[in-house]
Amino acid sequence: MALADTFTRTLTGPVRTAPASYGAAPTIDGPGMAALVAWVDEIAALTQPARIHWIDGSRGENEALLREMVDEGKLIKLNPEWRPGSYLARSHPSDVARTEGRTFIASENEEDAGPTNNWVAPAEIRGTLNGLFEGSMRGRTMYVVPFSMGAVGGPLSHIGVQVTDSAYAVASIGIMTRVGEDVVREIANGAPWVKTVHSVGAPLEAGQADVAWPCNDEKYIVHYPDTLEVWSYGSGYGGNAILAKKCFALRIASVIGRDEGWLAEHMLLIRVISPEGKAFHVAAAFPSACGKTNLAMLRPTIPGWRVETLGDDIAWLRPGDDGRLWAINPEAGFFGVAPGTGESTNVTAVETLWGNTIFTNVALRPDGDVWWEGLTDEAPAQLTDWEGNDWTPASGRPAAHPNSRFTVAAAQCPQIAPDWDTPEGVPLDAILFGGRRATNVPLVVEATDWAHGVFLGSTISSERTAAAEGTVGELRRDPFAMLPFCGYNMADYFGHWISVGQKLRFDRAPRIFQVNWFRKGTDGRFLWPGFGDNARVIDWIIRRIEGGVPAIDSPIGRLPRLTDLNLDGIEVPEADLEELFAIDSSSWLTEADLTEEFYNTFGDRIPSTLRAELSSLRYRLNHAPQA
Ligand code: GTP
Ligand code: SPV
Ligand code: MN
């Protein structure tokens, strides 16, 4: 094998005996194969791993990998009696979330990255990265992981290859995407693919002992939108390491979508089935840790309604020939927030996690099962916390890290749609935008039309969460929940949303709504029960789509008449309901000023349609009577 030869030639680290398959590319012929092998050779020459392992995606391979990680102390096997086939990983305490400050867009032109992204000049950063990646895999195995986002060969699907020195990343990608030799076959047959390179940046010198969670204090998550590449260095956690997810399926895919006329979005995807048996498809964009997984697994508390899960984090949307907007979930698993996931909030997730799950940074029970805040109302008396220390309820600190997560196959979800991985996707009826807003934003507002909906999406702000480094609770702009994930100039992205709308038939385009489950009373408590009761908002949305109920025009959009909300079986005090929908003109005029300030950071790149929407909003706030 040419590859094995190159591999031996460039080897500088220690060599350990390894299975014969290690280092050998699969014997698949086709015109695209040489370029793949050459690229892998090139990365190996740079990073100098001790071994190369082409991942075939088989069950046996996965089991061997997990066993190896347990032997090396990188995973803790959970008690199979409670949690079969499941593991706990504890990250380094400095490597617990996406590092947005170390995430870069290396487009040729700085303007193309825009003011919301960290831009670096590609030539310059390539030099820096070459220095860091040189020898970065010494003493480690370099895994080559071919993966597909969307069903292999599907019309909306895209493929990629991740090279990584993290077995944890390999196991995670195996759950989150479709990995296997059928992807290599696609590449061999000439399909285009995205190159992603990942190193934890912790080479092992001869005789040096490994640690449970290798990583590096210096981190770089770099995207090259012009050449469709991702290079990630120094972190083993989540979106920093599973490059198929935020790096590829959002940042790189958003650029591909801009060029090809579709949208890559930070959205969950569900099918809602009405008591009459009619199916509706809803996508919703909420910022990180703002309720996507929960809504994706909704168990309606109103009788007769059913929800089938299609996706919980990413959706790719494409206008169809029929004038509708079609959506797929490109992923194959859930990388979900653990804290707050419990029987009373998201029982579907709890059931999904029965086994075959990798947990990261949750607490360990003495009986070998896991626990996190919110799993049960009462904490166990004794735990080992996410850092491996003894913990009791008196410890005064969380037992699980606030951004602790579970990684589990979508197919394991008890309410997964039977056709969740259909290659052509589902036609959307509604799009929801939301965020965490203690004040101002009502429970639900309907956009008057597509342009107003795009305006609503562009103005989303949300209180920061633990999903990324930063101060939790601080309000920040997060348009379309894409602030950290848009791979190009966000003003152009807003324009792209408008142009996608123009490709839809006006009577078949999804209707757009803004929602907020997180409004608080002056006493600091949530005004809305949320979770399963969010079905009551979905019920109103669907009745709007069906033309079943009138709405109230307000300066910020269409609001429900309170009598149209189905509140049977819950007690929401009248005063709370009023407050949930209260619109304070002066606060909204301040929001409008902040929106203008935000728009101005893009100069004249902001589409004139959105400037016009902002003027109309101000006009309505100044002239309409208080709602
Ligand atoms: P990412 O995976 O980071 O993109 O997060 P996500 O958007 O999928 O968020 P997720 O559904 O995991 O929810 C994050 C947190 O919000 C959890 O602690 C939930 O318990 C909480 N949450 C979700 N839905 C609701 C709701 O309707 N009301 C309230 N009060 N909290 C909610
Ligand atoms: C998010 O932060 O939106 C996530 C987790 O879904 S990560 O994969 O780390 O981006
Ligand atoms: Mn997310």
Side-chain angles (χ1 to χ4, degrees):
M1 279 269 87
L3 177 77
D5 292 342
T6 316
F7 160 61
T8 328
R9 209 174 52 237
T10 58
L11 198 71
T12 57
V15 194
R16 289 190 223 158
T17 45
S21 67
Y22 279 33
T27 44
I28 294 173
D29 287 332
M33 203 56 197
L36 171 60
V37 171
W39 176 72
V40 170
D41 280 357
E42 190 191 309
I43 305 300
L46 176 66
T47 60
Q48 304 159 24
R51 303 167 287 282
I52 299 178
H53 179 169
W54 287 71
I55 293 292
D56 64 22
S58 66
R59 197 188 166 122
E61 176 189 65
N62 182 246
E63 279 167 6
L65 208 64
L66 291 165
R67 210 176 312 121
E68 204 174 293
M69 280 189 277
V70 172
D71 291 345
E72 291 175 346
K74 290 179 175 164
L75 288 181
I76 296 167
K77 190 169 169 54
L78 298 177
N79 186 341
E81 204 178 313
W82 309 120
R83 212 61 77 165
S86 300
Y87 301 84
L88 168 64
R90 291 189 187 131
S91 80
H92 189 275
S94 68
D95 193 22
V96 293
R98 284 182 295 100
T99 45
E100 293 177 6
R102 305 302 305 160
T103 300
F104 300 90
I105 301 296
S107 46
E108 283 300 333
N109 300 318
E110 183 168 3
E111 284 274 281
D112 290 335
T116 58
N117 280 311
N118 301 312
W119 178 79
V120 276
E124 184 192 319
I125 192 70
R126 271 193 203 279
T128 308
L129 290 180
N130 272 334
L132 291 170
F133 276 88
E134 190 178 346
S136 74
M137 297 190 186
R138 255 186 242 144
R140 297 192 181 280
T141 301
M142 177 176 118
Y143 301 94
V144 182
V145 193
F147 62 86
S148 179
M149 303 309 286
V152 179
L156 301 167
S157 304
H158 281 82
I159 54 184
V161 179
Q162 178 165 339
V163 162
T164 177
D165 55 8
S166 160
Y168 167 85
V170 175
S172 304
I173 303 163
I175 295 172
M176 295 305 298
T177 76
R178 292 120 171 127
V179 169
E181 293 194 345
D182 45 349
V183 178
V184 180
R185 217 160 282 124
E186 289 277 307
I187 292 173
N189 288 338
W193 51 285
V194 171
K195 297 168 176 161
T196 72
V197 186
H198 172 239
S199 174
V200 293
L204 288 172
E205 301 311 330
Q208 185 184 342
D210 203 356
V211 293
W213 186 277
C215 61
N216 195 304
D217 283 344
E218 193 168 11
K219 294 178 174 50
Y220 279 96
I221 324 294
V222 181
H223 306 73
Y224 298 94
D226 302 300
T227 50
L228 307 183
E229 284 170 80
V230 181
W231 288 66
S232 169
Y233 180 87
S235 168
Y237 206 87
N240 287 350
I242 308 167
L243 304 186
K245 199 171 175 52
K246 296 314 191 344
C247 299
F248 175 0
L250 289 179
R251 299 194 191 96
I252 294 290
S254 63
V255 173
I256 302 175
R258 174 196 65 190
D259 297 343
E260 295 181 356
W262 53 278
L263 294 159
E265 297 300 324
H266 192 202
M267 289 179 174
L268 67 95
L269 188 59
I270 51 176
R271 173 179 297 134
V272 183
I273 301 160
S274 74
E276 297 76 39
K278 194 161 173 194
F280 302 86
H281 296 105
V282 179
F286 309 152
S288 301
C290 290
K292 286 183 302 301
T293 301
N294 275 267
L295 189 61
M297 299 182 179
L298 183 74
R299 290 253 179 124
T301 52
I302 37 178
W305 290 88
R306 246 173 2 101
V307 166
E308 290 177 354
T309 308
L310 288 150
D312 86 323
D313 197 54
I314 298 177
W316 286 351
L317 320 180
R318 192 191 286 264
D321 296 335
D322 58 356
R324 305 192 73 176
L325 189 58
W326 289 74
I328 63 162
N329 163 21
E331 301 190 281
F334 308 127
F335 181 62
V337 178
T341 305
E343 298 280 345
S344 59
T345 55
N346 188 353
V347 63
T348 303
V350 172
E351 289 173 7
T352 304
L353 304 176
W354 63 268
N356 307 322
T357 304
I358 299 175
F359 297 92
T360 307
N361 287 347
V362 301
L364 183 65
R365 295 167 50 114
D367 63 0
D369 198 5
V370 283
W371 191 83
W372 50 81
E373 279 70 21
L375 176 60
T376 53
D377 289 340
E378 223 170 292
Q382 185 69 49
L383 290 169
T384 308
D385 74 6
W386 69 276
E387 293 189 88
N389 302 315
D390 286 344
W391 185 96
T392 71
S395 296
R397 59 173 196 275
H401 186 277
N403 191 39
S404 56
R405 300 241 168 196
F406 52 79
T407 312
V408 67
Q412 237 172 257
C413 174
Q415 65 190 65
I416 195 81
D419 57 342
W420 72 276
D421 60 352
T422 164
E424 51 293 334
V426 296
L428 287 183
D429 297 289
I431 293 175
L432 278 46
F433 296 120
R436 237 173 229 275
R437 290 298 305 267
T439 60
N440 269 11
V441 179
L443 181 62
V444 58
V445 188
E446 182 188 340
T448 46
D449 57 16
W450 185 268
H452 184 228
V454 173
F455 175 73
L456 290 182
S458 79
T459 59
I460 293 291
S461 315
S462 190
E463 290 140 25
R464 277 175 175 273
T465 67
E469 288 189 339
T471 312
V472 171
E474 184 182 80
L475 190 66
R476 73 161 178 184
R477 293 264 149 190
D478 194 349
F480 294 82
M482 282 288 280
L483 180 76
F485 307 123
C486 183
Y488 61 103
N489 189 309
M490 232 164 169
D492 299 352
Y493 167 84
F494 298 159
H496 185 51
W497 259 88
I498 292 169
S499 78
V500 165
Q502 285 159 352
K503 290 188 205 139
L504 304 174
R505 248 181 66 170
F506 81 96
D507 58 338
R508 289 189 177 174
R511 296 264 280 271
I512 300 179
F513 299 80
Q514 180 174 15
V515 298
N516 177 24
W517 315 143
F518 300 94
R519 193 150 175 176
K520 289 179 175 172
T522 40
D523 53 0
R525 105 206 115 77
F526 289 118
L527 292 166
W528 179 246
F531 302 105
D533 288 319
N534 293 332
R536 298 167 192 278
V537 175
I538 304 282
D539 160 271
W540 180 76
I541 286 171
I542 283 169
R543 278 184 292 134
R544 282 294 299 160
I545 293 170
E546 290 285 85
V549 282
I552 304 168
D553 277 319
S554 88
I556 64 165
R558 294 177 178 149
L559 300 174
R561 301 184 303 186
L562 293 186
T563 47
D564 287 329
L565 279 179
N566 180 346
L567 300 174
D568 292 350
I570 52 166
E571 294 297 326
V572 183
E574 189 68 31
D576 284 10
L577 264 186
E578 296 285 343
E579 213 171 325
L580 271 170
F581 289 98
I583 293 166
D584 176 54
S585 291
S586 70
S587 305
W588 273 97
L589 283 164
T590 308
E591 296 253 349
D593 291 345
L594 294 172
T595 296
E596 181 170 17
E597 237 172 70
F598 176 62
Y599 279 0
N600 286 346
T601 61
F602 299 92
D604 57 13
R605 262 173 123 119
I606 287 288
S608 55
T609 314
L610 295 187
R611 295 261 185 207
E613 287 291 336
L614 180 59
S615 304
S616 315
L617 171 66
R618 280 183 165 138
Y619 180 86
R620 292 191 304 261
L621 287 165
N622 282 317
H623 293 87
Q626 284 279 338

